[in-house]
Amino acid sequence: MVGAKVTTKKRAEDFAKMEIAGQCVAAMHQAVREFAAPGVTTRDLDAVAAEVARARGCRPSFLGYHGFPATICTSPNSAIVHGIPDGYTLRNGDIISIDAGAIYEGWHGDAAFTMAIGDVPAEVRRLLEVTEEALWNGMRQFRHGNRLGDIGHAIEATAEPFGYGVVREYIGHGIGRQMHEAPNVPNYGTPGKGLRLRTGMALAIEPMFNLGTAETAVLDDGWTVVTADGAVSAHFEHTVLLTEDGPKVSTLPEPVLL
Ligand code: MG
């Protein structure tokens, strides 16, 4: 079990590799964010992300994962997660969620964001802002001695005043040598309840909020998760390393200590 003697030298070395993977993910995000515009297809975005990963010497985590056919997940509008890049052409007024993962020397980074393409209604822009804020509120609870429920509660409580549907069927996860490891990290919870958080842990925290119901459905492609009512959905995710100095967000251009 990863635990008390956190910052053994070995764990620090693991985290250093996860930071390199995380910086690769951040670079993939940045390139996609700059390229995304009306007229661009989600397949174009995938190619941009693949080139960044290649140039940085990282392997995309998603490509081939349980047969997933692309480098990133692209989930427009009512798609929540796991959308497959294809010929879909972005239009003014769309939102699109981009999820990317990278592996460096066997260690993973995983992060997602949702962006607006051109002009979107104020309520959609607010959904994006609040979902990202919920991610940061959740990450700030990832502290030694806190409980998993503290993270989930902070996320859920951020959505509550807005009445957003908080997706429950898809959740965050531990991350390390595998993209998905124990524990599960729900976007809901009870403060002070659940697994005790310890220095040395690494989590991918990833709230998904819907403008309507929390209910989901999966399209016939077997991958794309959509809102059951067709309302738009936002998704923000970072990989966070619990260091001796506190939670460190690895999937940013430079890691950030909270
Ligand atoms: Mg994830």
Side-chain angles (χ1 to χ4, degrees):
M1 180 171 181
V2 173
K5 291 287 179 188
V6 192
T7 49
T8 59
K9 182 160 170 286
K10 173 66 175 70
R11 198 55 178 156
E13 288 169 1
D14 299 344
F15 278 180
K17 289 174 185 169
M18 291 182 76
E19 286 180 21
I20 294 171
Q23 286 175 305
C24 180
V25 172
M28 293 160 79
H29 278 195
Q30 191 179 343
V32 169
R33 190 188 295 277
E34 286 169 4
F35 199 75
V40 168
T41 69
T42 52
R43 192 178 287 126
D44 296 333
L45 299 179
D46 192 66
V48 164
E51 173 54 23
V52 170
R54 190 202 60 75
R56 287 194 164 239
C58 288
R59 195 153 59 83
S61 313
F62 297 179
L63 185 63
Y65 182 81
H66 293 290
F68 189 77
T71 293
I72 61 174
C73 297
T74 53
S75 306
N77 300 321
S78 62
I80 303 170
V81 285
H82 304 167
I84 301 172
D86 59 12
Y88 180 81
T89 302
L90 296 174
R91 288 177 293 207
N92 183 54
D94 280 351
I95 61 171
I96 185 155
S97 299
I98 304 296
D99 198 344
I103 310 168
Y104 177 75
E105 291 190 4
W107 294 88
H108 286 255
D110 182 11
F113 68 97
T114 304
M115 67 181 290
I117 304 299
D119 307 313
V120 301
E123 63 172 359
V124 175
R125 192 163 295 281
R126 188 180 313 116
L127 173 73
L128 270 51
E129 290 167 359
V130 172
T131 310
E132 186 169 20
E133 181 60 28
L135 168 59
W136 286 87
N137 289 342
M139 293 194 297
R140 281 190 277 268
Q141 293 298 318
F142 184 26
R143 295 194 179 275
H144 184 88
N146 273 8
R147 302 276 186 163
L148 212 46
D150 294 317
I151 295 175
H153 175 77
I155 290 170
E156 188 178 32
T158 308
E160 203 274 330
F162 300 91
Y164 297 147
V166 178
V167 174
R168 298 175 79 92
E169 286 129 323
Y170 301 87
I171 56 181
H173 48 92
I175 181 167
R177 281 194 175 282
Q178 303 295 327
M179 179 160 60
H180 294 126
E181 298 184 354
N184 290 330
V185 184
N187 295 310
Y188 52 89
T190 305
K193 298 289 186 189
L195 182 73
R196 190 179 294 279
L197 305 172
R198 293 171 172 276
T199 305
M201 287 180 167
L203 299 178
I205 300 174
E206 48 179 322
M208 298 154 215
F209 292 171
N210 302 342
L211 204 48
T213 172
E215 308 317 315
T216 69
V218 179
L219 297 186
D220 289 342
D221 63 18
W223 282 102
T224 312
V225 180
V226 297
T227 57
D229 62 2
V232 298
S233 179
H235 178 209
F236 285 83
E237 173 183 28
H238 277 301
T239 296
V240 194
L241 317 174
L242 191 43
T243 74
E244 258 186 351
D245 300 320
K248 195 176 194 183
V249 186
S250 68
T251 38
L252 287 169
E254 290 297 329
V256 168
L257 201 57
L258 298 179

